[in-house]
Amino acid sequence: GENVEQHPSTLSVQEGDSAVIKCTYSDSASNYFPWYKQELGKRPQLIIDIRSNVGEKKDQRIAVTLNKTAKHFSLHITETQPEDSAVYFCAASGSGTYKYIFGTGTRLKVLA
Amino acid sequence: GAGVSQSPRYKVAKRGQDVALRCDPISGHVSLFWYQQALGQGPEFLTYFQNEAQLDKSGLPSDRFFAERPEGSVSTLKIQRTQQEDSAVYLCASSLSGGGTDTQYFGPGTRLTVL
């Protein structure tokens, strides 16, 4: 079945530095890739998403890139701030399905 | 507008007890999903409703798990004869139409602890 791998599992960066989280997916039919941020004890919140008809999408300090050939997609956070500290999940879905397949999460710590 | 809400937020059950977890989706959202999130893991799909129809229950771990959405809005996830391995956060999500490229909005979850 569909599988999504996410790396790294933990990431520590200094405030102001950039953070990159990478995911790979197995189902070539996947065409929608959301990213969620989950703070401790809170709900997953959508922070950015990308569809397969584009290769990159940016929203202020956050960007996502997609390489459909390699089945890779990545989250880039620039100028990190302490409030960016959270667990980030990537997911994959597609028009042939409805459920999300999630990665195992990345715990990001931004050190002040 | 109001987001997805879930109740209770925390539930402690003794092994063998039955529990019922409630989800109120965003008004007008056709599709509703239940996910199970174990500690330190990503959410895993349990079941999916489109309106009142349960179209996929392939992720339910056993026949002790049952979900319903009788009027196409509020949904209840019931776990019978709870076991320790059922301890997890149960997340509900809803989406406007339910296609695979539709954004799912999550509730805060119910943290179930089975003693």
Side-chain angles (χ1 to χ4, degrees), chain A residues 31-83:
Chain A
N31 59 3
Y32 177 63
F33 307 93
W35 285 89
Y36 286 84
K37 174 183 180 182
Q38 188 175 31
E39 297 178 65
L40 190 62
K42 297 193 175 180
R43 74 186 70 203
Q45 296 255 9
L46 180 75
I47 55 171
I48 195 166
D49 57 10
I50 191 167
R51 298 169 198 274
S52 61
N53 56 347
V54 297
E56 183 174 0
K57 182 177 178 181
K58 190 173 182 181
D59 182 4
Q60 299 183 351
R61 298 186 296 109
I62 295 173
V64 56
T65 59
L66 172 65
N67 182 330
K68 283 211 72 181
T69 303
K71 292 190 278 189
H72 289 172
F73 58 113
S74 300
L75 178 72
H76 305 252
I77 306 174
T78 59
E79 301 171 21
T80 53
Q81 301 168 2
E83 53 265 36

Short mmCIF file of all heavy atoms in Angstrom, two decimals, chain A residues 31-83:
data_model
loop_
_atom_site.label_atom_id
_atom_site.label_comp_id
_atom_site.label_asym_id
_atom_site.label_seq_id
_atom_site.Cartn_x
_atom_site.Cartn_y
_atom_site.Cartn_z
N ASN A 31 -1.32 12.99 -5.78
CA ASN A 31 -1.19 14.30 -6.43
C ASN A 31 -1.53 15.46 -5.52
O ASN A 31 -1.70 16.59 -5.97
CB ASN A 31 -2.03 14.36 -7.71
CG ASN A 31 -3.50 14.12 -7.45
OD1 ASN A 31 -3.93 13.96 -6.32
ND2 ASN A 31 -4.27 14.11 -8.51
N TYR A 32 -1.63 15.19 -4.21
CA TYR A 32 -1.90 16.27 -3.26
C TYR A 32 -1.06 16.01 -2.01
O TYR A 32 -1.06 14.89 -1.48
CB TYR A 32 -3.39 16.32 -2.91
CG TYR A 32 -3.74 17.36 -1.87
CD1 TYR A 32 -3.54 18.71 -2.14
CD2 TYR A 32 -4.25 17.00 -0.64
CE1 TYR A 32 -3.84 19.67 -1.19
CE2 TYR A 32 -4.56 17.95 0.31
CZ TYR A 32 -4.36 19.29 0.02
OH TYR A 32 -4.66 20.24 0.95
N PHE A 33 -0.34 17.05 -1.56
CA PHE A 33 0.65 16.86 -0.50
C PHE A 33 0.53 18.00 0.51
O PHE A 33 1.11 19.07 0.34
CB PHE A 33 2.06 16.83 -1.11
CG PHE A 33 2.18 15.83 -2.23
CD1 PHE A 33 1.97 16.21 -3.55
CD2 PHE A 33 2.47 14.49 -1.96
CE1 PHE A 33 2.05 15.29 -4.58
CE2 PHE A 33 2.56 13.57 -2.99
CZ PHE A 33 2.34 13.96 -4.30
N PRO A 34 -0.22 17.78 1.58
CA PRO A 34 -0.34 18.81 2.62
C PRO A 34 0.72 18.64 3.69
O PRO A 34 1.23 17.54 3.92
CB PRO A 34 -1.74 18.54 3.20
CG PRO A 34 -1.93 17.06 3.01
CD PRO A 34 -1.16 16.67 1.78
N TRP A 35 1.03 19.73 4.37
CA TRP A 35 1.91 19.72 5.53
C TRP A 35 1.13 20.27 6.73
O TRP A 35 0.48 21.31 6.62
CB TRP A 35 3.14 20.59 5.29
CG TRP A 35 4.15 19.98 4.37
CD1 TRP A 35 4.20 20.08 3.01
CD2 TRP A 35 5.27 19.19 4.76
NE1 TRP A 35 5.28 19.38 2.52
CE2 TRP A 35 5.96 18.82 3.58
CE3 TRP A 35 5.77 18.73 5.98
CZ2 TRP A 35 7.12 18.04 3.59
CZ3 TRP A 35 6.93 17.96 5.99
CH2 TRP A 35 7.59 17.62 4.80
N TYR A 36 1.26 19.56 7.84
CA TYR A 36 0.57 19.97 9.06
C TYR A 36 1.59 20.24 10.17
O TYR A 36 2.60 19.56 10.29
CB TYR A 36 -0.40 18.88 9.54
CG TYR A 36 -1.66 18.78 8.71
CD1 TYR A 36 -1.68 18.04 7.53
CD2 TYR A 36 -2.82 19.42 9.11
CE1 TYR A 36 -2.83 17.95 6.77
CE2 TYR A 36 -3.99 19.34 8.35
CZ TYR A 36 -3.99 18.59 7.19
OH TYR A 36 -5.13 18.50 6.44
N LYS A 37 1.26 21.23 10.99
CA LYS A 37 2.04 21.55 12.18
C LYS A 37 1.21 21.17 13.39
O LYS A 37 0.03 21.52 13.46
CB LYS A 37 2.35 23.05 12.20
CG LYS A 37 3.04 23.56 13.45
CD LYS A 37 3.22 25.08 13.39
CE LYS A 37 3.91 25.62 14.62
NZ LYS A 37 4.03 27.11 14.57
N GLN A 38 1.81 20.45 14.32
CA GLN A 38 1.07 20.04 15.51
C GLN A 38 1.87 20.42 16.75
O GLN A 38 2.95 19.87 17.00
CB GLN A 38 0.79 18.53 15.49
CG GLN A 38 -0.15 18.09 16.61
CD GLN A 38 -0.53 16.63 16.51
OE1 GLN A 38 0.23 15.80 16.04
NE2 GLN A 38 -1.73 16.29 16.97
N GLU A 39 1.33 21.34 17.50
CA GLU A 39 1.93 21.70 18.78
C GLU A 39 1.43 20.73 19.84
O GLU A 39 0.39 20.09 19.67
CB GLU A 39 1.59 23.14 19.13
CG GLU A 39 2.18 24.12 18.11
CD GLU A 39 1.81 25.56 18.41
OE1 GLU A 39 2.24 26.08 19.45
OE2 GLU A 39 1.08 26.15 17.60
N LEU A 40 2.17 20.63 20.91
CA LEU A 40 1.90 19.62 21.94
C LEU A 40 0.46 19.72 22.44
O LEU A 40 0.04 20.79 22.90
CB LEU A 40 2.88 19.78 23.09
CG LEU A 40 2.89 18.66 24.13
CD1 LEU A 40 3.29 17.35 23.47
CD2 LEU A 40 3.82 18.99 25.27
N GLY A 41 -0.26 18.63 22.32
CA GLY A 41 -1.63 18.57 22.83
C GLY A 41 -2.65 19.30 21.99
O GLY A 41 -3.81 19.44 22.41
N LYS A 42 -2.25 19.74 20.80
CA LYS A 42 -3.18 20.50 19.97
C LYS A 42 -3.47 19.78 18.65
O LYS A 42 -2.85 18.78 18.32
CB LYS A 42 -2.64 21.90 19.71
CG LYS A 42 -2.50 22.72 21.00
CD LYS A 42 -2.25 24.17 20.73
CE LYS A 42 -2.23 24.97 22.03
NZ LYS A 42 -1.99 26.41 21.81
N ARG A 43 -4.39 20.32 17.91
CA ARG A 43 -4.80 19.69 16.66
C ARG A 43 -3.75 19.93 15.57
O ARG A 43 -3.07 20.96 15.58
CB ARG A 43 -6.14 20.26 16.19
CG ARG A 43 -6.08 21.69 15.62
CD ARG A 43 -7.46 22.23 15.33
NE ARG A 43 -8.20 22.50 16.55
CZ ARG A 43 -9.53 22.54 16.62
NH1 ARG A 43 -10.26 22.31 15.54
NH2 ARG A 43 -10.13 22.82 17.76
N PRO A 44 -3.64 19.02 14.61
CA PRO A 44 -2.80 19.30 13.44
C PRO A 44 -3.40 20.47 12.65
O PRO A 44 -4.61 20.49 12.39
CB PRO A 44 -2.87 18.00 12.63
CG PRO A 44 -3.31 16.95 13.60
CD PRO A 44 -4.20 17.65 14.58
N GLN A 45 -2.54 21.43 12.30
CA GLN A 45 -2.99 22.60 11.55
C GLN A 45 -2.30 22.61 10.20
O GLN A 45 -1.07 22.50 10.14
CB GLN A 45 -2.64 23.89 12.31
CG GLN A 45 -3.33 24.03 13.64
CD GLN A 45 -4.47 25.04 13.59
OE1 GLN A 45 -4.83 25.49 12.53
NE2 GLN A 45 -5.02 25.40 14.73
N LEU A 46 -3.07 22.76 9.14
CA LEU A 46 -2.50 22.86 7.80
C LEU A 46 -1.67 24.13 7.68
O LEU A 46 -2.15 25.22 8.02
CB LEU A 46 -3.61 22.87 6.76
CG LEU A 46 -3.15 22.97 5.31
CD1 LEU A 46 -2.59 21.65 4.85
CD2 LEU A 46 -4.30 23.41 4.41
N ILE A 47 -0.43 24.00 7.23
CA ILE A 47 0.39 25.20 7.07
C ILE A 47 0.66 25.50 5.60
O ILE A 47 0.82 26.67 5.23
CB ILE A 47 1.72 25.10 7.83
CG1 ILE A 47 2.51 23.84 7.42
CG2 ILE A 47 1.49 25.13 9.33
CD1 ILE A 47 3.93 23.82 7.99
N ILE A 48 0.70 24.51 4.77
CA ILE A 48 0.89 24.72 3.34
C ILE A 48 0.59 23.40 2.64
O ILE A 48 0.67 22.33 3.25
CB ILE A 48 2.33 25.21 3.03
CG1 ILE A 48 2.43 25.79 1.61
CG2 ILE A 48 3.36 24.10 3.24
CD1 ILE A 48 3.70 26.58 1.36
N ASP A 49 0.21 23.48 1.38
CA ASP A 49 -0.03 22.27 0.60
C ASP A 49 0.41 22.51 -0.84
O ASP A 49 0.61 23.66 -1.25
CB ASP A 49 -1.49 21.83 0.66
CG ASP A 49 -2.46 22.91 0.20
OD1 ASP A 49 -2.03 23.94 -0.37
OD2 ASP A 49 -3.68 22.73 0.40
N ILE A 50 0.58 21.43 -1.57
CA ILE A 50 0.99 21.56 -2.97
C ILE A 50 0.31 20.47 -3.77
O ILE A 50 0.11 19.35 -3.28
CB ILE A 50 2.52 21.52 -3.11
CG1 ILE A 50 2.94 21.93 -4.54
CG2 ILE A 50 3.09 20.14 -2.74
CD1 ILE A 50 4.43 22.22 -4.66
N ARG A 51 -0.07 20.82 -4.97
CA ARG A 51 -0.68 19.86 -5.87
C ARG A 51 0.31 19.53 -6.98
O ARG A 51 1.22 20.32 -7.25
CB ARG A 51 -1.99 20.40 -6.42
CG ARG A 51 -2.99 20.65 -5.32
CD ARG A 51 -4.22 21.43 -5.73
NE ARG A 51 -4.88 21.97 -4.54
CZ ARG A 51 -5.76 21.32 -3.80
NH1 ARG A 51 -6.11 20.12 -4.15
NH2 ARG A 51 -6.29 21.87 -2.72
N SER A 52 0.09 18.42 -7.64
CA SER A 52 1.14 17.89 -8.51
C SER A 52 1.33 18.68 -9.79
O SER A 52 2.28 18.43 -10.52
CB SER A 52 0.84 16.44 -8.87
OG SER A 52 -0.40 16.35 -9.55
N ASN A 53 0.48 19.65 -10.05
CA ASN A 53 0.65 20.42 -11.27
C ASN A 53 1.62 21.60 -11.09
O ASN A 53 1.84 22.37 -12.03
CB ASN A 53 -0.70 20.92 -11.79
CG ASN A 53 -1.46 21.73 -10.76
OD1 ASN A 53 -1.12 21.73 -9.57
ND2 ASN A 53 -2.48 22.42 -11.19
N VAL A 54 2.18 21.74 -9.88
CA VAL A 54 3.19 22.77 -9.64
C VAL A 54 4.40 22.14 -8.96
O VAL A 54 4.28 21.09 -8.32
CB VAL A 54 2.66 23.94 -8.79
CG1 VAL A 54 1.53 24.66 -9.49
CG2 VAL A 54 2.21 23.43 -7.43
N GLY A 55 5.54 22.78 -9.09
CA GLY A 55 6.75 22.23 -8.50
C GLY A 55 7.15 22.91 -7.21
O GLY A 55 7.92 22.36 -6.44
N GLU A 56 6.62 24.10 -6.98
CA GLU A 56 7.00 24.84 -5.78
C GLU A 56 5.87 25.80 -5.41
O GLU A 56 5.16 26.33 -6.26
CB GLU A 56 8.29 25.63 -6.02
CG GLU A 56 8.80 26.36 -4.79
CD GLU A 56 10.16 27.02 -5.00
OE1 GLU A 56 10.72 26.91 -6.11
OE2 GLU A 56 10.68 27.64 -4.05
N LYS A 57 5.74 25.98 -4.11
CA LYS A 57 4.74 26.93 -3.59
C LYS A 57 5.33 27.60 -2.37
O LYS A 57 5.97 26.94 -1.55
CB LYS A 57 3.45 26.21 -3.25
CG LYS A 57 2.32 27.09 -2.75
CD LYS A 57 1.07 26.25 -2.53
CE LYS A 57 -0.08 27.07 -1.98
NZ LYS A 57 -1.28 26.21 -1.75
N LYS A 58 5.11 28.91 -2.25
CA LYS A 58 5.70 29.65 -1.14
C LYS A 58 4.64 30.49 -0.46
O LYS A 58 3.74 31.05 -1.10
CB LYS A 58 6.83 30.55 -1.67
CG LYS A 58 7.66 31.19 -0.59
CD LYS A 58 8.86 31.91 -1.18
CE LYS A 58 9.72 32.51 -0.06
NZ LYS A 58 10.89 33.24 -0.59
N ASP A 59 4.75 30.58 0.86
CA ASP A 59 3.87 31.42 1.66
C ASP A 59 4.69 32.03 2.77
O ASP A 59 4.97 31.39 3.79
CB ASP A 59 2.71 30.60 2.24
CG ASP A 59 1.73 31.45 3.04
OD1 ASP A 59 1.89 32.68 3.08
OD2 ASP A 59 0.79 30.87 3.61
N GLN A 60 5.15 33.25 2.55
CA GLN A 60 5.98 33.99 3.50
C GLN A 60 7.24 33.17 3.80
O GLN A 60 8.04 32.95 2.88
CB GLN A 60 5.18 34.33 4.76
CG GLN A 60 3.97 35.22 4.44
CD GLN A 60 3.20 35.63 5.67
OE1 GLN A 60 3.42 35.16 6.79
NE2 GLN A 60 2.27 36.55 5.49
N ARG A 61 7.44 32.73 5.03
CA ARG A 61 8.69 32.03 5.37
C ARG A 61 8.66 30.53 5.06
O ARG A 61 9.63 29.82 5.30
CB ARG A 61 8.99 32.22 6.86
CG ARG A 61 9.22 33.65 7.29
CD ARG A 61 9.66 33.72 8.74
NE ARG A 61 8.61 33.24 9.66
CZ ARG A 61 8.69 32.09 10.33
NH1 ARG A 61 9.72 31.30 10.20
NH2 ARG A 61 7.71 31.75 11.16
N ILE A 62 7.53 30.06 4.57
CA ILE A 62 7.37 28.63 4.35
C ILE A 62 7.27 28.34 2.86
O ILE A 62 6.57 29.07 2.13
CB ILE A 62 6.11 28.11 5.08
CG1 ILE A 62 6.28 28.26 6.58
CG2 ILE A 62 5.81 26.67 4.71
CD1 ILE A 62 5.03 27.94 7.37
N ALA A 63 7.94 27.30 2.41
CA ALA A 63 7.86 26.88 1.02
C ALA A 63 7.83 25.36 0.95
O ALA A 63 8.36 24.68 1.85
CB ALA A 63 9.03 27.42 0.21
N VAL A 64 7.21 24.85 -0.07
CA VAL A 64 7.20 23.41 -0.31
C VAL A 64 7.63 23.19 -1.76
O VAL A 64 7.22 23.93 -2.66
CB VAL A 64 5.83 22.78 -0.01
CG1 VAL A 64 4.73 23.44 -0.80
CG2 VAL A 64 5.85 21.29 -0.23
N THR A 65 8.46 22.18 -1.96
CA THR A 65 8.88 21.79 -3.30
C THR A 65 8.46 20.36 -3.56
O THR A 65 8.39 19.55 -2.64
CB THR A 65 10.40 21.92 -3.47
OG1 THR A 65 11.05 21.10 -2.50
CG2 THR A 65 10.86 23.36 -3.26
N LEU A 66 8.18 20.05 -4.80
CA LEU A 66 7.72 18.73 -5.19
C LEU A 66 8.50 18.25 -6.40
O LEU A 66 8.61 18.97 -7.40
CB LEU A 66 6.23 18.76 -5.50
CG LEU A 66 5.62 17.49 -6.12
CD1 LEU A 66 5.70 16.32 -5.14
CD2 LEU A 66 4.18 17.76 -6.54
N ASN A 67 9.02 17.05 -6.33
CA ASN A 67 9.68 16.40 -7.46
C ASN A 67 8.90 15.11 -7.75
O ASN A 67 9.09 14.09 -7.08
CB ASN A 67 11.14 16.09 -7.13
CG ASN A 67 11.89 15.45 -8.30
OD1 ASN A 67 11.31 14.75 -9.12
ND2 ASN A 67 13.18 15.70 -8.38
N LYS A 68 8.01 15.16 -8.70
CA LYS A 68 7.14 14.02 -8.99
C LYS A 68 7.90 12.84 -9.55
O LYS A 68 7.57 11.69 -9.30
CB LYS A 68 6.03 14.42 -9.95
CG LYS A 68 4.91 15.21 -9.32
CD LYS A 68 3.58 14.94 -10.00
CE LYS A 68 3.04 13.57 -9.70
NZ LYS A 68 1.76 13.29 -10.38
N THR A 69 8.94 13.12 -10.31
CA THR A 69 9.71 12.03 -10.90
C THR A 69 10.36 11.19 -9.82
O THR A 69 10.33 9.96 -9.85
CB THR A 69 10.77 12.60 -11.85
OG1 THR A 69 10.12 13.39 -12.85
CG2 THR A 69 11.57 11.48 -12.50
N ALA A 70 10.95 11.88 -8.85
CA ALA A 70 11.64 11.20 -7.75
C ALA A 70 10.69 10.85 -6.61
O ALA A 70 11.10 10.17 -5.66
CB ALA A 70 12.78 12.06 -7.23
N LYS A 71 9.47 11.32 -6.66
CA LYS A 71 8.48 11.11 -5.60
C LYS A 71 8.99 11.65 -4.27
O LYS A 71 8.91 10.98 -3.23
CB LYS A 71 8.06 9.64 -5.53
CG LYS A 71 7.26 9.22 -6.78
CD LYS A 71 6.62 7.85 -6.64
CE LYS A 71 7.61 6.77 -6.94
NZ LYS A 71 6.99 5.44 -7.04
N HIS A 72 9.53 12.87 -4.32
CA HIS A 72 10.01 13.56 -3.14
C HIS A 72 9.26 14.87 -2.99
O HIS A 72 8.95 15.53 -3.99
CB HIS A 72 11.50 13.94 -3.28
CG HIS A 72 12.43 12.79 -3.24
ND1 HIS A 72 13.78 12.93 -3.51
CD2 HIS A 72 12.26 11.49 -2.93
CE1 HIS A 72 14.36 11.75 -3.40
NE2 HIS A 72 13.47 10.86 -3.05
N PHE A 73 9.01 15.30 -1.75
CA PHE A 73 8.57 16.66 -1.51
C PHE A 73 9.16 17.13 -0.19
O PHE A 73 9.45 16.32 0.69
CB PHE A 73 7.04 16.81 -1.55
CG PHE A 73 6.26 15.96 -0.60
CD1 PHE A 73 5.55 16.55 0.44
CD2 PHE A 73 6.17 14.58 -0.74
CE1 PHE A 73 4.80 15.78 1.32
CE2 PHE A 73 5.43 13.79 0.13
CZ PHE A 73 4.74 14.41 1.16
N SER A 74 9.40 18.41 -0.10
CA SER A 74 10.14 18.96 1.04
C SER A 74 9.48 20.24 1.55
O SER A 74 8.91 21.00 0.77
CB SER A 74 11.58 19.27 0.65
OG SER A 74 12.26 18.12 0.22
N LEU A 75 9.63 20.44 2.84
CA LEU A 75 9.18 21.67 3.50
C LEU A 75 10.39 22.48 3.87
O LEU A 75 11.35 21.94 4.46
CB LEU A 75 8.37 21.33 4.76
CG LEU A 75 7.87 22.51 5.58
CD1 LEU A 75 6.75 23.24 4.85
CD2 LEU A 75 7.40 22.05 6.96
N HIS A 76 10.37 23.76 3.53
CA HIS A 76 11.47 24.66 3.84
C HIS A 76 10.92 25.80 4.70
O HIS A 76 9.95 26.45 4.30
CB HIS A 76 12.06 25.25 2.56
CG HIS A 76 12.51 24.22 1.57
ND1 HIS A 76 13.84 23.96 1.32
CD2 HIS A 76 11.81 23.37 0.79
CE1 HIS A 76 13.93 23.00 0.40
NE2 HIS A 76 12.72 22.62 0.07
N ILE A 77 11.54 26.00 5.86
CA ILE A 77 11.17 27.13 6.72
C ILE A 77 12.41 28.01 6.84
O ILE A 77 13.48 27.54 7.27
CB ILE A 77 10.72 26.66 8.12
CG1 ILE A 77 9.59 25.63 8.01
CG2 ILE A 77 10.27 27.86 8.95
CD1 ILE A 77 9.20 25.02 9.36
N THR A 78 12.28 29.26 6.45
CA THR A 78 13.40 30.20 6.56
C THR A 78 13.20 31.11 7.77
O THR A 78 12.09 31.23 8.30
CB THR A 78 13.52 31.06 5.29
OG1 THR A 78 12.29 31.78 5.11
CG2 THR A 78 13.78 30.20 4.07
N GLU A 79 14.31 31.70 8.20
CA GLU A 79 14.29 32.64 9.33
C GLU A 79 13.48 32.08 10.50
O GLU A 79 12.54 32.72 10.98
CB GLU A 79 13.73 33.99 8.87
CG GLU A 79 14.52 34.62 7.74
CD GLU A 79 13.81 35.84 7.16
OE1 GLU A 79 12.94 36.43 7.84
OE2 GLU A 79 14.12 36.18 6.01
N THR A 80 13.84 30.88 10.93
CA THR A 80 13.05 30.20 11.95
C THR A 80 12.96 31.02 13.24
O THR A 80 13.89 31.77 13.61
CB THR A 80 13.64 28.83 12.28
OG1 THR A 80 15.03 28.97 12.60
CG2 THR A 80 13.46 27.88 11.11
N GLN A 81 11.82 30.85 13.91
CA GLN A 81 11.53 31.55 15.16
C GLN A 81 11.15 30.52 16.21
O GLN A 81 10.71 29.41 15.86
CB GLN A 81 10.38 32.53 14.93
CG GLN A 81 10.68 33.57 13.85
CD GLN A 81 9.46 34.36 13.42
OE1 GLN A 81 8.37 34.18 13.93
NE2 GLN A 81 9.66 35.23 12.45
N PRO A 82 11.30 30.84 17.49
CA PRO A 82 10.96 29.87 18.54
C PRO A 82 9.54 29.31 18.40
O PRO A 82 9.31 28.14 18.70
CB PRO A 82 11.14 30.67 19.83
CG PRO A 82 12.19 31.68 19.48
CD PRO A 82 11.92 32.06 18.05
N GLU A 83 8.62 30.12 17.92
CA GLU A 83 7.23 29.65 17.79
C GLU A 83 7.06 28.65 16.65
O GLU A 83 5.97 28.06 16.49
CB GLU A 83 6.26 30.82 17.63
CG GLU A 83 6.61 31.78 16.53
CD GLU A 83 7.41 32.98 17.03
OE1 GLU A 83 8.26 32.81 17.95
OE2 GLU A 83 7.21 34.08 16.49
#
